[in-house]
Amino acid sequence: MTTFDAGEITLEKVREFVWEIPQTGEMRVPARVLASESLLEEIAEDNSLTQLRNTTHLPGIQKYALAMPDAHQGYGFPVGGVAGIDAENGCISPGAVGYDINCGVRMLRTNLTYADVQGHEAELVEALFDAIPSGLGGGGIHDGSREDVEAILSRGMDWALEAGYAIPEDLEHCEDEGFRPEGDPAAVSKKAIDRGTNQIGSLGSGNHFLEVQRVTDVYREDVATEFGLEPEQIVVLIHCGSRGLGHQVCTDYLRKIEQAHAGLLEQLPDKELAAAPAGSQLADQYYTAMCAAINYAWVNRQLIMHRTREVFADVFERDWRDMGMSLLYDVAHNIAKREHHEVDGDRRELFVHRKGATRAFPAGHPEVPPAYRDVGQPIIIPGSMGAGSYVLRGGEQSLDETFGSTAHGAGRLMSRTQAKQEFWGGDVQDALRDQQHVYVKAQSGATVAEEAPGVYKDVDEVVRVSDALGIGDRVARTFPVCNIKG
């Protein structure tokens, strides 16, 4: 197959797993989809390809707009989308970052084995669910004040360290050490800060979760050793973001940009791509507000990890340090960052928008933490409750192919509404427990139905494409033991 017909859009095959929508009309660059034929067929079922093509109209976009193998329809910009946009003459788009700013994942290692946990699954899932706030609305691990939130927005993980929720090694194993110095509380509205005050240390709802997993497969033993992973080891995966605060930041700046830059908006095929020109007051304000929300999300995940350590200590009656509960890595999914990349032989500063995409810097890159610089940045790609998740490392081709990016998960196949029509939460929980020995606890059956394994693409196929393209190399695979959801 040399072309793929997706209705009004035809993609041309560049090479294996690389498909291109040629540049035509007012497109500033081509658009590329990184996918196998089976994944491309699924991506073509919603509006993702149209959204990707629309993205190429953004001023200053470089090389091509990209969709990762897990791409699906989002708000204006597809989830699984990546765009590198000139930071001097281009723009920044809140829709290309998303509402849940710095939604991301972190993996907590332990020295426990699956045999150590067997027989404790029901107790562990109940204890985690009771101890870690989840679901819609308020309630967090830290009963914060406005001053606390402002300190978190400006200081990130440094605040968690000072407050006793972190140890220095946690910061060393977090993207950007859990701190964006540009974060400015003054750029965040009172409403956003109010929403964040009582949600510090909470999972939220939707696809956010905490999952205890066991390592089932190791593909690159040398890298796995550097990552501290081995077969049958117990790890914990935490997936959440900036909660109501980040959502409000996105909402606030979308409305401001739509009003202040209506002329630019009229030039774009979709108003959901609303963007502020680089160097404008709103672009600068949004960037500092976004960085503040990024800091909040890192602290949010840190507090959940802190509470997880305490729960394990209670359940297994051992100090968490004795169980080797150390952070492997924390990566952001929804983010736009100033980064330097090669474009047409020149090194340029870009706003790299990653929406539902993971940074994937290779070995030797100066922004990879020293602990992993020789082997490459860890990448964590969650699957569904009934499928494996993966740990990858940044691939050698990622900087050339994807602005140093890869997929962020399995990617949805169906909407939440459709999922609730197709699945019944109780049946899903029973099947997972009885057939796969996976224990799930959630605020409601509807949440379980929305996140049923059948709702998602094949994460094995997503990772296979990433590995084959050399943008994110397989290191290890994990499988769920127990899972809590909002």
Side-chain angles (χ1 to χ4, degrees):
M1 183 186 293
T2 58
T3 61
F4 182 91
D5 185 9
E8 63 176 30
I9 295 176
T10 299
L11 298 96
E12 299 177 358
K13 188 173 185 177
V14 177
R15 62 181 185 280
E16 188 71 7
F17 305 133
V18 181
W19 304 83
E20 186 165 284
I21 304 173
Q23 182 180 354
T24 58
E26 296 182 9
M27 293 172 64
R28 297 173 186 267
V29 293
R32 286 193 170 182
V33 181
L34 310 182
S36 61
E37 290 182 13
S38 61
L39 288 172
L40 186 57
E41 289 174 357
E42 292 170 348
I43 291 169
E45 289 179 359
D46 60 24
N47 205 35
S48 298
L49 295 177
T50 299
Q51 290 188 331
L52 184 67
R53 185 179 61 184
N54 291 344
T55 299
T56 67
H57 293 247
L58 287 167
I61 190 167
Q62 302 296 307
K63 294 175 70 171
Y64 24 69
L66 290 151
M68 299 297 106
D70 57 336
H72 58 93
Q73 183 175 333
Y75 178 90
F77 195 91
V79 178
V82 176
I85 300 177
D86 191 283
E88 183 178 351
N89 300 311
C91 63
I92 188 167
S93 172
V97 173
Y99 281 92
D100 193 0
I101 297 168
N102 191 7
C103 176
V105 290
R106 65 170 50 196
M107 181 171 281
L108 177 63
R109 297 173 292 209
T110 79
N111 59 25
L112 300 174
T113 66
Y114 184 41
D116 294 326
V117 172
Q118 285 180 296
H120 296 279
E121 298 96 335
E123 178 188 5
L124 187 58
V125 77
E126 292 287 346
L128 288 166
F129 189 80
D130 289 344
I132 295 169
S134 63
L136 292 169
I141 289 167
H142 180 82
D143 186 11
S145 63
R146 180 182 177 87
E147 290 72 25
D148 286 334
V149 176
E150 290 179 345
I152 290 167
L153 296 176
S154 61
R155 298 176 56 203
M157 287 269 282
D158 277 340
W159 177 90
L161 179 65
E162 184 178 279
Y165 293 112
I167 58 175
E169 290 80 1
D170 295 336
L171 281 64
E172 294 167 8
H173 293 85
C174 187
E175 183 173 324
D176 296 337
E177 296 185 346
F179 170 56
R180 294 302 302 174
E182 306 93 335
D184 182 5
V188 178
S189 69
K190 180 182 182 299
K191 185 174 182 180
I193 290 174
D194 288 345
R195 292 184 68 178
T197 301
N198 65 346
Q199 294 184 336
I200 308 167
S202 60
L203 276 177
S205 59
N207 65 339
H208 296 155
F209 63 84
L210 181 148
E211 188 167 88
V212 179
Q213 305 174 334
R214 61 186 174 99
V215 178
T216 57
D217 302 274
V218 169
Y219 305 102
R220 287 174 169 83
E221 289 190 13
D222 57 337
V223 182
T225 298
E226 293 295 324
F227 286 0
L229 298 174
E230 59 186 28
E232 293 304 297
Q233 178 183 5
I234 290 295
V235 297
V236 181
L237 192 61
I238 297 167
H239 176 214
C240 59
S242 51
R243 302 287 279 115
L245 183 144
H247 194 284
Q248 192 63 48
V249 167
C250 182
T251 300
D252 290 341
Y253 280 93
L254 277 173
R255 301 291 87 82
K256 290 178 180 180
I257 289 169
E258 286 171 357
Q259 294 174 14
H261 298 288
L264 173 55
L265 186 62
E266 290 174 1
Q267 299 173 30
L268 299 173
D270 186 345
K271 71 175 185 178
E272 292 180 356
L273 289 173
S280 67
Q281 182 180 22
L282 272 179
D284 293 343
Q285 288 177 345
Y286 170 70
Y287 190 73
T288 58
M290 177 193 65
C291 287
I294 290 168
N295 288 338
Y296 183 96
W298 274 322
V299 170
N300 188 39
R301 290 195 287 276
Q302 178 64 37
L303 266 61
I304 293 169
M305 189 177 81
H306 171 80
R307 181 61 59 83
T308 300
R309 286 167 164 164
E310 294 180 331
V311 169
F312 269 69
D314 289 341
V315 170
F316 295 101
E317 298 181 340
R318 294 168 59 190
D319 188 278
W320 63 263
R321 296 168 186 83
D322 294 338
M323 290 183 280
M325 300 188 74
S326 60
L327 179 61
L328 169 61
Y329 202 56
D330 181 298
V331 290
H333 290 161
N334 294 349
I335 201 164
K337 292 167 70 174
R338 289 181 177 269
E339 297 175 1
H340 288 87
H341 290 269
E342 294 287 334
V343 178
D344 299 329
D346 295 326
R347 190 156 180 80
R348 302 172 67 173
E349 187 178 43
L350 308 177
F351 286 124
V352 179
H353 295 69
R354 297 185 181 97
K355 181 180 180 180
T358 305
R359 194 181 78 171
F361 285 172
H365 195 287
E367 292 186 44
V368 176
Y372 305 125
R373 198 164 294 160
D374 290 342
V375 293
Q377 175 208 308
I379 301 160
I380 304 158
I381 298 188
S384 71
M385 294 183 290
S389 296
Y390 283 87
V391 179
L392 284 65
R393 59 98 176 257
E396 290 296 329
Q397 301 305 312
S398 67
L399 294 175
D400 290 337
E401 297 285 348
T402 59
F403 301 105
S405 312
T406 191
H408 86 307
R412 293 189 75 90
L413 273 174
M414 63 178 71
S415 69
R416 299 186 183 282
T417 300
Q418 184 181 354
K420 286 185 285 190
Q421 294 171 347
E422 296 275 342
F423 300 100
W424 185 255
D427 293 342
V428 173
Q429 283 177 292
D430 292 345
L432 286 167
R433 183 188 64 247
D434 297 341
Q435 298 172 20
Q436 296 182 280
H437 307 292
V438 178
Y439 290 73
V440 177
K441 179 84 172 177
Q443 292 282 357
S444 71
T447 297
V448 178
E450 291 172 1
E451 298 298 310
V455 169
Y456 285 90
K457 295 182 176 71
D458 181 355
V459 70
D460 298 332
E461 184 72 354
V462 169
V463 170
R464 184 176 79 90
V465 171
S466 178
D467 188 83
L469 288 172
I471 57 176
D473 306 330
R474 288 192 312 176
V475 175
R477 183 178 182 271
T478 62
F479 192 79
V481 175
C482 59
N483 178 299
I484 66 167
K485 288 184 172 296

